[in-house]
Amino acid sequence: MPQQLFQHTFPNGLTLLAERMDHVRSASLSMMIPAGYVYEPADKLGLCGIFADVLTRGAGDRDSKQLAAAFDNLGADRSESAGAFNVAFSAGTLARNLPGVLRLYADVVRRPWLPDDEIDPARDMSLQELKGLEDSPPDLCFLELKKRFYPEPYSRDQYGTAETLAAVTPADVRKYHAERFRPNGAILSVAGNVEWEPLKDLVAGVFGDWQGTATPVTPGPLPPVSYTHIPKETNQTQVTLAYPTAPFTSPDYYLARAAINVLDGGMSSRLFTEVREKRGLCYAVSASHDQVKERAGVLCYAGTETARAQQTLDVIVRVLRGLRDGVTDEELDRVKAGLKTSLIMQQESTGARAGAMAAEWFHLGRVRPLDEVQAAIDSTTPAKLTDFLDRYPARGFTVVTLGAEPLTVPE
């Protein structure tokens, strides 16, 4: 049966997306509101995380416990989070309970209590997460890498600093909601056993009179290529590096994904084979596709003994550059199988479909039919991959290391 995709943008700027999935009895929603931490005031970094934490501490005519009980009574498996660009809500439930869940989220989005006495506990939680970074050198290293790879404010993280967190007041939290929670650019995506017209009418009823416009953010210039070492007396060294690749919006996106999956797609991937299996240089090595809006990068990581850190970095760079020499049919078959498996699993999950549709609309302004995605994967060939790697070569590395001794970045 062909996909049943629907889309409508209301006059206030809220976009509703839906996919009907006849074979399930459940439904999931994903809502993205452009209020992520890139929009925080520079002197209140971490505000968005505190705000997201208190959003569900009472809304509409329900206090915190009553709101939680209402969601539980509807069997909602839900989460709320603050990302770089969006505050996101997701929930899955029986299809017949979806209207009730949507009404509850309408209260959370439009009529949150944001109680003063909940701000300090939320701040304390944010401070604990910030302090926890000291016990996670890989996370700390990646945060520093992104700060040097992406332009401001895209380079920000969700943690803030102890000083900026301390500066957040209840008035700041309420002002953030008033200025940022606006319908223009907001996305509500639903997947499951739903009927389009009743769903559209329901959303019009609970969100149609929501008004206001939030201002966008403009990124600064790209930072220069750099190497940064974070001194830390330890027997282990963390190595992270990044270089540009095709973003989600590019026609080359699935070529970028294929190239990365050759590098890091299981125990037969090149990085695992060359860095860990053949040479035993590290206990962990990986590569991934990462992006913020229009800029995307291949991000690589290795955790190794200090004595082997320089060789580990050298071999990683050699493997990255060696990809240009050609990809085998066997490697490409493995990559295609992995990408198709992810696609098939996404089709079987209402939560995955709702999230994927919202993300595609956010980045592309449309939802790609699954047939289009599968065709992009199927059309990948070794020759196309080589041409892609000519246009996106492994060079211009931004590197951050953490450990006892600095390293030398290969030319």
Side-chain angles (χ1 to χ4, degrees):
M1 179 180 294
Q3 274 186 284
Q4 302 177 71
L5 296 172
F6 305 91
Q7 178 270 322
H8 178 74
T9 298
F10 294 94
N12 62 5
L14 169 67
T15 295
L16 173 65
L17 310 169
E19 179 174 352
R20 178 169 173 78
M21 301 168 71
D22 295 312
H23 61 286
V24 301
R25 292 184 294 173
S26 62
S28 294
L29 68 86
S30 178
M31 189 169 193
M32 297 166 57
I33 299 174
Y37 50 78
V38 300
Y39 301 104
E40 295 171 334
D43 61 343
K44 301 291 174 68
L45 300 181
L47 164 62
C48 184
I50 295 174
F51 166 69
D53 194 19
V54 300
L55 259 178
T56 55
R57 310 285 181 91
D61 58 1
R62 298 176 177 88
D63 64 21
S64 183
K65 290 184 178 179
Q66 291 169 334
L67 183 62
F71 275 118
D72 290 344
N73 290 338
L74 292 169
D77 181 11
R78 64 187 177 92
S79 66
E80 299 83 32
S81 62
F85 293 91
N86 297 285
V87 171
F89 307 91
S90 63
T93 187
L94 294 176
R96 65 174 181 267
N97 291 338
L98 182 68
V101 173
L102 272 170
R103 291 188 182 97
L104 290 177
Y105 271 121
D107 279 341
V108 170
V109 169
R110 303 185 61 187
R111 294 172 287 275
W113 287 16
L114 306 175
D116 288 7
D117 59 358
E118 295 286 359
I119 303 301
D120 283 342
R123 187 200 328 274
D124 290 342
M125 184 64 68
S126 294
L127 286 168
Q128 289 180 40
E129 292 175 352
L130 179 63
K131 291 177 181 177
L133 285 175
E134 295 300 322
D135 298 323
S136 181
D139 290 336
L140 185 60
C141 218
F142 267 123
L143 289 178
E144 293 300 324
L145 179 72
K146 291 180 180 183
K147 287 178 182 178
R148 289 158 176 78
F149 183 69
Y150 293 120
E152 169 67 22
Y154 294 177
S155 58
R156 293 178 179 177
D157 59 58
Q158 69 268 37
Y159 299 99
T161 69
E163 292 74 22
T164 58
L165 287 170
V168 174
T169 68
D172 293 324
V173 173
R174 287 190 288 272
K175 181 180 179 183
Y176 197 75
H177 175 263
E179 293 181 350
R180 294 307 322 171
F181 261 46
R182 292 290 177 254
N184 65 302
I187 303 163
L188 174 58
S189 176
V190 177
N193 200 329
V194 295
E195 297 287 346
W196 171 245
E197 290 300 333
L199 174 65
K200 187 169 69 171
D201 291 344
L202 171 62
V203 173
V206 297
F207 287 112
D209 62 345
W210 186 21
Q211 297 297 321
T213 301
T215 56
V217 65
T218 302
L222 289 175
V225 171
S226 64
Y227 170 57
T228 303
H229 178 69
I230 304 170
K232 189 176 181 66
E233 287 303 321
T234 175
N235 293 327
Q236 297 176 344
T237 295
Q238 313 297 318
V239 179
T240 58
L241 65 85
Y243 63 95
T245 191
F248 191 75
T249 53
S250 169
D252 291 328
Y253 170 69
Y254 277 97
L255 290 170
R257 285 285 305 278
I260 290 170
N261 284 15
V262 172
L263 294 168
D264 181 12
M267 296 180 67
S268 56
S269 64
R270 290 200 183 182
L271 282 175
F272 186 92
T273 300
E274 297 296 328
V275 182
R276 180 172 173 176
E277 189 173 69
K278 287 185 178 180
R279 295 173 175 85
L281 290 174
C282 62
Y283 56 86
V285 62
S286 64
S288 61
H289 185 279
D290 188 82
Q291 79 169 56
V292 291
K293 282 294 202 179
E294 306 84 4
R295 181 161 169 83
V298 178
L299 270 59
C300 295
Y301 164 76
T304 183
E305 295 177 359
T306 297
R308 299 183 175 188
Q310 184 64 59
Q311 186 182 2
T312 299
L313 176 58
D314 293 344
V315 174
I316 287 174
V317 170
R318 193 153 61 241
V319 170
L320 295 176
R321 290 175 173 164
L323 202 58
R324 168 60 186 79
D325 296 334
V327 173
T328 66
D329 290 334
E330 181 180 359
E331 286 177 315
L332 197 53
D333 288 344
R334 172 179 60 79
V335 165
K336 287 183 177 181
L339 292 173
K340 288 181 180 178
T341 297
S342 298
L343 188 64
I344 291 170
M345 292 178 68
Q346 183 188 110
Q347 289 176 276
E348 296 176 350
S349 165
T350 59
R353 282 303 300 149
M357 288 191 297
E360 289 192 345
W361 191 271
F362 174 72
H363 287 291
L364 304 174
R366 70 184 185 96
V367 176
R368 294 177 299 183
L370 294 172
D371 287 347
E372 178 184 329
V373 177
Q374 182 162 324
I377 296 171
D378 286 337
S379 67
T380 301
T381 65
K384 285 185 177 180
L385 208 49
T386 298
D387 176 66
F388 167 78
L389 294 166
D390 281 340
R391 289 180 283 116
Y392 290 91
R395 67 184 182 199
F397 301 114
T398 296
V399 180
V400 173
T401 58
L402 183 154
E405 299 292 338
L407 307 181
T408 300
V409 179
E411 291 293 335

